[in-house]
C-alpha cells in the first residue's frame, strides 16, 4: 500500500437500511432478509505495515513459547507486605496467581504490582526470582499509571486504524493519558471523538490480551521501519540491548510496560480533548496531533469524573477571570497576561502579603536586572541546559537574554564584596519579572505563561545552618498555605544519577533535609533519585477544594552555584580563613500568576475579604439617597478598603442581584431609614441579611477580618 493510501482518512460508517419493494395487491409480500449491519471495526483499514508487523510478532512469539518448554521449574519465594511468604515457580507464577491464592475478589480488583519496592510489574507477567511483591489497585499511584498506560495503547490502536498515521509517544499522565500521531496535513477535530470512542469500545469488548516480548534491536528496527519516530527512539538503544515490545490487537508498540492483562479491564473510556504538539516537545521538530483520554475500571467513576469536570469548568480561572474582569490575553503578547484593575488588586495583595512576612522572618528584599549577558548563564550552567527556553537578544555585538530565574543574579550580589560568617544566613528575596520561552501549544491561561513573577528567595548559609533554615522555610510555607486553606504533601527527592559534587556532601545535605522533615512533624514520602543535579530538594504538593494536586512551593539545596561563582565568606575558624556557603532556593507561592489561577479555582471566584478586589458596594434605593451613599462609599474607601457605589436608576432588587453575581463581599443598602439612623443595611453575596450597622462598626469589622485573613 502506498503512503497516500495508508494516510487516507476513514469515513464514519452509515447503517444500510433495506428498502421495501412495492408488490401488486394480489401478490403475497415476500419477506426479505434484513441487510447485515456493518460493524465499526469492519470499516477500518488495516494497512500492509500493520499486517507485516503482526506477522513478525507471531513468529517471535512462537519461538519464545518454544523456548519456555525447555525451561526447568525452579521454586521461588514471594514476600508480601505483611511478611507472609508465598511459594511460586520461576517464570510461571504471576502476581495475579499470588492474588488469586489470597482471594478471587482481590485478584479481580488489582491492575498492577510492584516488585522489590521499585519496579512496576504486569500482574500477568511471570515473576523471575525471589522478590518482595506489592499488589496495586486502581486507586494507587502505580495502579493508575498502569491502567492509563494500557488505555493509551487502546487509544493508539484506534488512532492507527482510523487515521493511518505514524504513532509517536503515548504515556500515562497524572490526569489520564494521551497519544501523539504524525498525520501530515490532517488534523483531529472534536467531531472525531465519537468514532474514536466507538473503536476504542470495540477494542475493549474484544478482550485483547496485552502480550510482551523482548526482541533484538535490529528486529525492532525492521518491525518499525515504516515509522521514523519509533526508529529514532530504537536507534538510541545500545546495540547489545533488547527492546521491550507490547501487543494488543493490531497494535505492536515500543513499551517498557506494565499493562493490565487485557483490554476488558477498561470498563469506561472517553476522549477528552485534542491539541497540536511537537515531536519530543521541540518547536523545530515535526508537528503532531495529540489526543487526550480518560478511563476507569467502572462506569460510576466515569460519572463522578464527568461531574467533577463540570464543576471544574464552572471554576475555570479563565472563565472566572473574564466574568470578573481580572485579566485577559492578547495575540500581540502571547503568554503574557494583561491584569485589569480588579485583577491587579489581587496580584498586589498576594505580593504585599508575602512582603510583610519577609519583613517578619528576616528576609531582605532586593531588585536585580531583567537582562543579562550570555556569559552569566554560561557561568551558572543554565545556558547549556536551558538556553532554548530563554528569550535571547543581540546587544552590543553580544548575546543577552531576559532572565528566566533570579539565582545567578543573587550570586553576583553575594559576591559583590567580602562576606563574613556574621552575616549568615543571608536571605535575598526578589519579585523581579521573569521570562521563559514556553512553547505556544503549552501556554494555558495563567498556569503556563511566558512572563511572570515569583516570591523567589535564596538563602546563603553554612552547612550547619541548613536544618534550621529548612525548618523555617517549612514553617513559612505551612503558615501561608493554612491561610489559603490548602492541604499539602511533602516529598524528599534525593541524589539523581547525574548528580554533581561529592557524595559525602550529598549525604550530609540529605540527612539535614530528612532531619528537618522529621522535626516538622508532617508525613512525608521519599522520592529516590529525583533531586536536582545540583542538590536534594523538598517538593510540596498542595491540594485544592476539588482535590487536585498542584506543585507551587519548592525548597532546594544547591552546592554547585557557590562553586561556579566562587562564593566565599570569612570563617570564624582561625585555621580556615575562607569557606563556601550553601544556597537554599525556595518559593512558596511560586509563580504569582499560577497561584492566582489556583486561588480563583479554589475559591470559585468567591474571594475572602482580605484579598477580594470587590469588598463592598453601596446600593441606593433611589436617587434621593445617592448623596449619603457617596459619603458612605468615600468613608470606607478612605479607610483602605475597595468600595463602589451603584446609584443608577435600576430597581433595588436588580442592584442587589448584580452585586451578588459580581461577588461583592458586602452589599450595603441605603434608604431613608439608613440615612435617618446614620447606618447601612448589610447583606452578603450569599443573600444573608445582617441588618443595620454604623459605618464605623462596619469598618472595624472589615479590619478584624483582614487581620484574620478572612
Amino acid at each position: 500500500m502506498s503512503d497516500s493510501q495508508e494516510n487516507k482518512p476513514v469515513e464514519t460508517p452509515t447503517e444500510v437500511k433495506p428498502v421495501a419493494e412495492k408488490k401488486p395487491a394480489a401478490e403475497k409480500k415476500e419477506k426479505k432478509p434484513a441487510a447485515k449491519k456493518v460493524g465499526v471495526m469492519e470499516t477500518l483499514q488495516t494497512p500492509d505495515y500493520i499486517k507485516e508487523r503482526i506477522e513478525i510478532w507471531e513468529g517471535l512469539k512462537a519461538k519464545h513459547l518454544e523456548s519456555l518448554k525447555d525451561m526447568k521449574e525452579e521454586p521461588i519465594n514471594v514476600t508480601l507486605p505483611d511478611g507472609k511468604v508465598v511459594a511460586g515457580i520461576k517464570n510461571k507464577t504471576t502476581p495475579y496467581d499470588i492474588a488469586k491464592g489470597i482471594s478471587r475478589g482481590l485478584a479481580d480488583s488489582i491492575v498492577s504490582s510492584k516488585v522489590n519496592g521499585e519496579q512496576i510489574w504486569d500482574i500477568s507477567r511471570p515473576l523471575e526470582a525471589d522478590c518482595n511483591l506489592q499488589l496495586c489497585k486502581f486507586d494507587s499511584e502505580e495502579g493508575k499509571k498502569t491502567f492509563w498506560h494500557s488505555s493509551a495503547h487502546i487509544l493508539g490502536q484506534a488512532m492507527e486504524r482510523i487515521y493511518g498515521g505514524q504513532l509517536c509517544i503515548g504515556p500515562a499522565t497524572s490526569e489520564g493519558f494521551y497519544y501523539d500521531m504524525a498525520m501530515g496535513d490532517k488534523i483531529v477535530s472534536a467531531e472525531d471523538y465519537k468514532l474514536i470512542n466507538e473503536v476504542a469500545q470495540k477494542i475493549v469488548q474484544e478482550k485483547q490480551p496485552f502480550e510482551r516480548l523482548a526482541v533484538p534491536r535490529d528486529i525492532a528496527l525492521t518491525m518499525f521501519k515504516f515509522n521514523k519516530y519509533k526508529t529514532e527512539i530504537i536507534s538510541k538503544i545500545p546495540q547489545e540491548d533488547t527492546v521491550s515490545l507490547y501487543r494488543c490487537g493490531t497494535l505492536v508498540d515500543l513499551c517498557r510496560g506494565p499493562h493490565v492483562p487485557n483490554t476488558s479491564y477498561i470498563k469506561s473510556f472517553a476522549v477528552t480533548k485534542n491539541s497540536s504538539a511537537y515531536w519530543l516537545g521541540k518547536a523545530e521538530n515535526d508537528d503532531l496531533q495529540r489526543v487526550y483520554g480518560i478511563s476507569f475500571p467502572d462506569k460510576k467513576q466515569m460519572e463522578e469524573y464527568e461531574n467533577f469536570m463540570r464543576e471544574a469548568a464552572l471554576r475555570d480561572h479563565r472563565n472566572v477571570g473574564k466574568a470578573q474582569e481580572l485579566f485577559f490575553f492578547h495575540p500581540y503578547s502571547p503568554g503574557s497576561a494583561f491584569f485589569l484593575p480588579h485583577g491587579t488588586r489581587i496580584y498586589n495583595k498576594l505580593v504585599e502579603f508575602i512582603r510583610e512576612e519577609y519583613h517578619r522572618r528576616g528576609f531582605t528584599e532586593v531588585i536585580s536586572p531583567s537582562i543579562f549577558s550570555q556569559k552569566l548563564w554560561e557561568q551558572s550552567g543554565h545556558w547549556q541546559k536551558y538556553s532554548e527556553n530563554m528569550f535571547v537578544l543581540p546587544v552590543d555585538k553580544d548575546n543577552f537574554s531576559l532572565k528566566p530565574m533570579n539565582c545567578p543574579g543573587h550570586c553576583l550580589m553575594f559576591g559583590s564584596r567580602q562576606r563574613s560568617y556574621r552575616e549568615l544566613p543571608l536571605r535575598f528575596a526578589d519579585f523581579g519579572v521573569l521570562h521563559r520561552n514556553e512553547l505556544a501549544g503549552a501556554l494555558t491561561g495563567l498556569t503556563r505563561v511566558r512572563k511572570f513573577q515569583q516570591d523567589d528567595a535564596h538563602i546563603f548559609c553554612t552547612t550547619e545552618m541548613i536544618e534550621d533554615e529548612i525548618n523555617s522555610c517549612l514553617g513559612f510555607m505551612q503558615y501561608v498555605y493554612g491561610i489559603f486553606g490548602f492541604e499539602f504533601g511533602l516529598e524528599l527527592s534525593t541524589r539523581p544519577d547525574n548528580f554533581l559534587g561529592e557524595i559525602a556532601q550529598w549525604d550530609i545535605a540529605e540527612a539535614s533535609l530528612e532531619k528537618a522533615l522529621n522535626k516538622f512533624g508532617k508525613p512525608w514520602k521519599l522520592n529516590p533519585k529525583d533531586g536536582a543535579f545540583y542538590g536534594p530538594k523538598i517538593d510540596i504538593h498542595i491540594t485544592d477544594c476539588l482535590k487536585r494536586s498542584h506543585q507551587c512551593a519548592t525548597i532546594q539545596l544547591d552546592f554547585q552555584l557557590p562553586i561556579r561563582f566562587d562564593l566565599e565568606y570569612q570563617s570564624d575558624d582561625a585555621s580556615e580563613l575562607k569557606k563556601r556557603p550553601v544556597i537554599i532556593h525556595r518559593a512558596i507561592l511560586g509563580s504569582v500568576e499560577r497561584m492566582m489561577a489556583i486561588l480563583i479555582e479554589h475559591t470559585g471566584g468567591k474571594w475572602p475579604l482580605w484579598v477580594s478586589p470587590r469588598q463592598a458596594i453601596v446600593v441606593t434605593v433611589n436617587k434621593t439617597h445617592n448623596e449619603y451613599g457617596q459619603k458612605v462609599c468615600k468613608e470606607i474607601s478612605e479607610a483602605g478598603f475597595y468600595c463602589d457605589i451603584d446609584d443608577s436608576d435600576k430597581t433595588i432588587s436588580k442592584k442587589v442581584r448584580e452585586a451578588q453575581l459580581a461577588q461583592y463581599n458586602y452589599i450595603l443598602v441605603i434608604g431613608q431609614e439608613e440615612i435617618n439612623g446614620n447606618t447601612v443595611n448589610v447583606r452578603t453575596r450569599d443573600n444573608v441579611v445582617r441588618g443595620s450597622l454604623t459605618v464605623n462598626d462596619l469598618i472595624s469589622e472589615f479590619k478584624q477580618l483582614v487581620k484574620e485573613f478572612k
Side-chain angles (χ1 to χ4, degrees):
M1 183 179 289
S2 68
D3 289 342
S4 60
Q5 289 173 312
E6 289 176 8
N7 292 330
K8 184 178 180 181
V10 179
E11 296 180 356
T12 306
T14 55
E15 184 176 344
V16 181
K17 295 184 179 180
V19 180
E21 292 184 19
K22 289 186 177 181
K23 298 286 184 181
E27 290 185 20
K28 187 177 180 180
K29 291 183 179 180
E30 285 186 20
K31 194 170 182 180
K32 287 195 172 186
K36 184 179 178 181
K37 187 174 180 178
V38 180
V40 66
M41 299 299 280
E42 284 76 23
T43 68
L44 303 178
Q45 301 178 24
T46 305
D48 288 342
Y49 68 78
I50 291 181
K51 297 174 183 176
E52 180 182 342
R53 191 174 60 190
I54 292 174
E55 185 178 343
I56 297 173
W57 175 277
E58 291 294 347
L60 294 169
K61 179 182 173 183
K63 291 180 181 179
H64 174 69
L65 293 175
E66 189 66 28
S67 69
L68 294 178
K69 293 179 180 179
D70 300 328
M71 195 171 291
K72 294 181 180 179
E73 291 190 353
E74 297 180 26
I76 58 172
N77 290 322
V78 180
T79 305
L80 300 176
D82 62 0
K84 182 180 178 182
V85 178
V86 179
I89 299 173
K90 179 179 178 180
N91 293 318
K92 185 174 182 181
T93 301
T94 66
Y96 183 86
D97 295 330
I98 299 293
K100 190 175 179 182
I102 299 171
S103 77
R104 183 59 185 262
L106 174 64
D108 290 342
S109 67
I110 63 171
V111 296
S112 188
S113 66
K114 187 185 281 190
V115 172
N116 294 329
E118 293 185 1
Q119 187 173 4
I120 306 177
W121 198 270
D122 313 68
I123 61 173
S124 57
R125 180 180 171 184
L127 299 167
E128 298 172 353
D130 293 346
C131 64
N132 295 313
L133 180 68
Q134 179 183 343
L135 302 171
C136 305
K137 297 182 180 181
F138 173 77
D139 58 5
S140 67
E141 182 180 341
E142 297 81 7
K144 283 188 173 71
K145 183 175 181 180
T146 299
F147 194 89
W148 285 337
H149 190 186
S150 300
S151 302
H153 278 234
I154 293 173
L155 173 61
Q157 183 183 160
M159 291 172 66
E160 197 170 55
R161 295 293 302 277
I162 294 169
Y163 300 109
Q166 297 184 49
L167 289 174
C168 298
I169 295 174
T173 70
S174 60
E175 298 177 344
F177 52 91
Y178 69 80
Y179 222 119
D180 288 343
M181 175 177 269
M183 299 169 56
D185 294 332
K186 291 185 290 185
I187 61 171
V188 178
S189 68
E191 287 73 29
D192 298 341
Y193 294 0
K194 182 180 178 182
L195 178 58
I196 297 172
N197 286 333
E198 286 177 354
V199 175
Q201 188 57 41
K202 288 293 183 182
I203 293 169
V204 168
Q205 291 172 359
E206 289 176 0
K207 203 175 180 178
Q208 298 174 0
F210 280 91
E211 301 173 321
R212 178 182 181 274
L213 288 175
V215 307
R217 195 187 77 149
D218 289 345
I219 292 179
L221 286 169
T222 299
M223 293 179 75
F224 291 94
K225 63 186 179 183
F226 64 90
N227 187 318
K228 71 175 186 178
Y229 307 98
K230 300 291 187 183
T231 55
E232 181 177 334
I233 296 172
I234 297 169
S235 297
K236 295 176 182 177
I237 298 173
Q239 177 71 40
E240 63 276 11
D241 288 359
T242 57
V243 179
S244 177
L245 305 179
Y246 276 81
R247 176 189 174 187
C248 66
T250 60
L251 178 71
V252 177
D253 205 0
L254 299 177
C255 184
R256 289 191 295 265
H259 289 285
V260 296
N262 63 69
T263 57
S264 71
Y265 275 61
I266 315 300
K267 303 298 184 187
S268 192
F269 178 105
V271 173
T272 57
K273 62 180 179 178
N274 68 281
S275 69
S276 59
Y278 298 112
W279 170 237
L280 301 180
K282 296 183 178 180
E284 63 269 23
N285 289 345
D286 292 353
D287 290 326
L288 308 175
Q289 291 291 295
R290 177 172 295 177
V291 179
Y292 293 86
I294 190 70
S295 62
F296 296 97
D298 65 60
K299 293 183 178 179
K300 183 180 178 181
Q301 286 173 293
M302 180 64 82
E303 292 173 2
E304 292 172 351
Y305 170 81
E306 289 171 347
N307 291 334
F308 165 84
M309 292 304 294
R310 280 191 285 270
E311 176 64 22
L314 292 175
R315 292 171 174 264
D316 190 307
H317 74 278
R318 292 164 292 187
N319 298 332
V320 175
K322 183 178 180 180
Q324 295 189 2
E325 295 188 11
L326 303 180
F327 64 89
F328 71 92
F329 289 89
H330 195 279
Y332 285 173
S333 186
S336 300
F338 290 77
F339 283 96
L340 296 165
H342 290 89
T344 302
R345 291 175 179 179
I346 299 169
Y347 198 103
N348 287 343
K349 191 64 180 180
L350 294 175
V351 172
E352 288 166 11
F353 167 48
I354 297 297
R355 182 172 278 135
E356 288 171 3
E357 287 302 311
Y358 280 158
H359 183 69
R360 289 179 53 234
R361 297 170 186 270
F363 286 79
T364 302
E365 190 171 347
V366 298
I367 299 173
S368 54
S370 292
I371 185 169
F372 287 97
S373 166
Q374 176 180 328
K375 296 181 179 66
L376 174 81
W377 307 113
E378 290 173 346
Q379 184 174 351
S380 70
H382 290 99
W383 189 261
Q384 297 86 327
K385 295 178 177 292
Y386 206 79
S387 59
E388 64 183 21
N389 296 108
M390 295 183 186
F391 287 100
V392 180
L393 307 168
V395 179
D396 298 332
K397 299 181 180 180
D398 200 355
N399 281 336
F400 281 67
S401 74
L402 295 170
K403 65 178 178 182
M405 65 275 296
N406 288 309
C407 39
H410 290 182
C411 287
L412 294 181
M413 286 183 162
F414 184 92
S416 63
R417 65 169 174 82
Q418 288 188 351
R419 299 287 178 179
S420 166
Y421 71 92
R422 293 185 178 89
E423 296 179 74
L424 305 184
L426 184 59
R427 308 180 185 99
F428 284 155
D430 196 333
F431 289 103
V433 175
L434 306 177
H435 290 85
R436 295 181 183 174
N437 191 11
E438 302 283 358
L439 295 174
L443 300 176
T444 311
L446 293 177
T447 59
R448 184 67 73 88
V449 291
R450 287 175 173 165
K451 175 263 179 186
F452 60 98
Q453 290 173 249
Q454 289 183 321
D455 62 330
D456 200 12
H458 296 94
I459 302 169
F460 298 83
C461 65
T462 69
T463 304
E464 294 76 20
M465 294 174 178
I466 290 175
E467 184 183 334
D468 286 342
E469 288 302 309
I470 295 298
N471 269 315
S472 177
C473 291
L474 290 170
F476 192 173
M477 176 269 300
Q478 184 178 29
Y479 174 75
V480 172
Y481 287 172
I483 286 171
F484 292 143
F486 293 139
E487 298 176 355
F488 61 87
L490 303 165
E491 290 182 352
L492 172 57
S493 299
T494 57
R495 184 175 67 244
D497 292 332
N498 65 338
F499 75 95
L500 296 178
E502 301 295 328
I503 290 181
Q505 195 176 35
W506 277 82
D507 290 342
I508 292 171
E510 289 175 1
S512 297
L513 292 184
E514 183 172 347
K515 194 173 180 181
L517 283 169
N518 289 333
K519 187 176 181 180
F520 185 56
K522 298 290 184 182
W524 59 275
K525 295 193 302 183
L526 188 65
N527 192 10
K529 298 186 177 183
D530 200 43
F533 68 91
Y534 50 76
K537 61 179 180 173
I538 297 173
D539 290 323
I540 300 103
H541 300 269
I542 61 174
T543 305
D544 65 16
C545 68
L546 295 179
K547 304 302 179 185
R548 296 174 300 185
S549 179
H550 309 273
Q551 184 176 345
C552 299
T554 185
I555 302 171
Q556 302 180 357
L557 289 187
D558 190 341
F559 312 119
Q560 299 309 311
L561 278 182
I563 295 172
R564 284 179 171 271
F565 284 89
D566 195 25
L567 302 182
E568 294 179 329
Y569 64 90
Q570 187 71 38
S571 171
D572 62 341
D573 185 349
S575 64
E576 192 174 4
L577 295 178
K578 298 285 187 179
K579 281 190 175 180
R580 189 86 66 194
V582 177
I583 297 177
I584 299 174
H585 304 251
R586 53 105 280 167
I588 295 175
L589 301 182
S591 157
V592 181
E593 282 78 358
R594 187 164 186 266
M595 177 56 73
M596 188 166 161
I598 294 168
L599 286 171
I600 289 173
E601 298 183 2
H602 184 61
T603 62
K606 289 189 172 184
W607 298 98
L609 184 78
W610 75 273
V611 73
S612 176
R614 294 178 174 88
Q615 294 171 322
I617 185 171
V618 173
V619 295
T620 55
V621 174
N622 60 52
K623 63 182 180 181
T624 63
H625 310 133
N626 288 353
E627 183 178 349
Y628 178 72
Q630 289 164 357
K631 176 176 174 289
V632 169
C633 184
K634 184 179 179 182
E635 283 185 57
I636 295 173
S637 297
E638 288 178 347
F641 299 97
Y642 299 124
C643 186
D644 299 316
I645 184 169
D646 185 348
D647 54 6
S648 66
D649 293 333
K650 298 173 185 174
T651 64
I652 190 65
S653 59
K654 186 173 180 61
K655 290 181 182 181
V656 170
R657 181 57 182 155
E658 288 180 351
Q660 289 171 336
L661 292 174
Q663 298 303 330
Y664 281 93
N665 299 71
Y666 284 77
I667 302 162
L668 313 177
V669 179
I670 289 176
Q672 193 58 47
E673 184 178 337
E674 285 72 38
I675 294 174
N676 294 339
N678 200 29
T679 62
V680 292
N681 190 282
V682 181
R683 296 172 180 238
T684 70
R685 60 190 169 199
D686 297 318
N687 210 29
V688 175
V689 180
R690 294 274 308 280
S692 294
L693 282 177
T694 67
V695 175
N696 286 338
D697 286 345
L698 184 64
I699 290 173
S700 296
E701 181 176 319
F702 285 2
K703 288 179 178 178
Q704 187 61 33
L705 289 172
V706 169
K707 184 179 179 180
E708 296 173 359
F709 297 100
K710 292 182 179 178

